[in-house]
Amino acid sequence: MSTTRPVLYLFGSAAPPVLSIAQVVRQAQSRGWEVVLGLTPTAASWLQDELPELNRLTGYPVKSMYRRPGDPDVLPPADAVLFAPATMNSINSLALGITTSWVIGFAAEAIAKGIPLTVMPCTNTALTGHPQFPRSVATLREAGVRVLLGDGGFVPNAPGQGDPAAYPWEAALDAVEEFVRR
């Protein structure tokens, strides 16, 4: 698929808001983005039954694993990356450079390549209270990643009190567009 529209790589990890990712793809497309969807392996397993529809919706294969050596890269270059929802595990892995999944590896490379990277967590207050989490957020911000945590982004909830329907997808898409325009 060839495009003249800007390309957004939308990445999701295994947190409940990922279950509405098809709607987010449509929202991004309505804003003028060509969307490539990447999922952590667990998120891909959660959406296994929807993957054929997501492939059709984006026009690209949903990617959750590294390609084999010699396989062609069929995805267009990214103009921006939005990693949402991003779990504590994904944020810590990205900050520490532990690239055991394709989405973490691509996001890690995006930092060094200067591709605008926006990350919006989806964690609870018990997880954000772990000492590594604020270090990881600080590391990502120091690297130029826009992390949407707190006012204007994701505000962590008490364990078991999250509402996936309240996840601020619009704020994330707005932030990506603002970050790209800088």
Side-chain angles (χ1 to χ4, degrees):
M1 192 172 197
S2 175
T3 182
T4 57
R5 298 187 307 166
V7 178
L8 174 65
Y9 275 43
L10 174 60
F11 293 165
S13 52
V18 80
L19 298 175
S20 63
I21 203 79
Q23 177 183 343
V24 181
V25 169
R26 288 184 195 94
Q27 289 172 325
Q29 290 170 332
S30 73
R31 290 172 173 235
W33 291 98
E34 187 79 16
V35 179
V36 170
L37 182 58
L39 300 169
T40 62
T42 302
S45 74
W46 285 13
L47 293 167
Q48 184 174 2
D49 294 341
E50 295 178 47
L51 292 178
E53 175 59 20
L54 291 167
N55 290 333
R56 187 203 61 72
L57 180 62
T58 63
Y60 301 102
V62 175
K63 196 149 181 194
S64 62
M65 298 188 325
Y66 288 104
R67 63 185 167 93
R68 294 179 300 184
D71 283 354
D73 186 0
V74 299
L75 303 178
D79 293 299
V81 178
L82 171 58
F83 197 154
T87 60
M88 177 181 166
N89 185 54
S90 292
I91 290 168
N92 288 341
S93 294
L94 179 57
L96 295 170
I98 301 170
T99 60
T100 56
S101 73
W102 180 79
V103 295
I104 301 295
F106 190 96
E109 286 187 1
I111 294 170
K113 290 179 176 179
I115 300 169
L117 173 59
T118 302
V119 173
M120 189 161 65
C122 185
T123 60
N124 63 42
T125 54
L127 293 173
T128 59
H130 186 281
Q132 184 57 48
F133 188 79
R135 288 185 206 124
S136 293
V137 169
T139 296
L140 293 174
R141 286 179 171 158
E142 289 167 12
V145 176
R146 186 159 192 191
V147 181
L148 305 175
L149 178 63
D151 291 339
F154 179 77
V155 177
N157 48 270
Q161 300 301 308
D163 177 6
Y167 192 71
W169 285 111
E170 287 292 325
L173 292 170
D174 290 346
V176 169
E177 291 173 351
E178 178 184 313
F179 195 24
V180 169
R181 284 194 302 267
R182 289 204 264 164

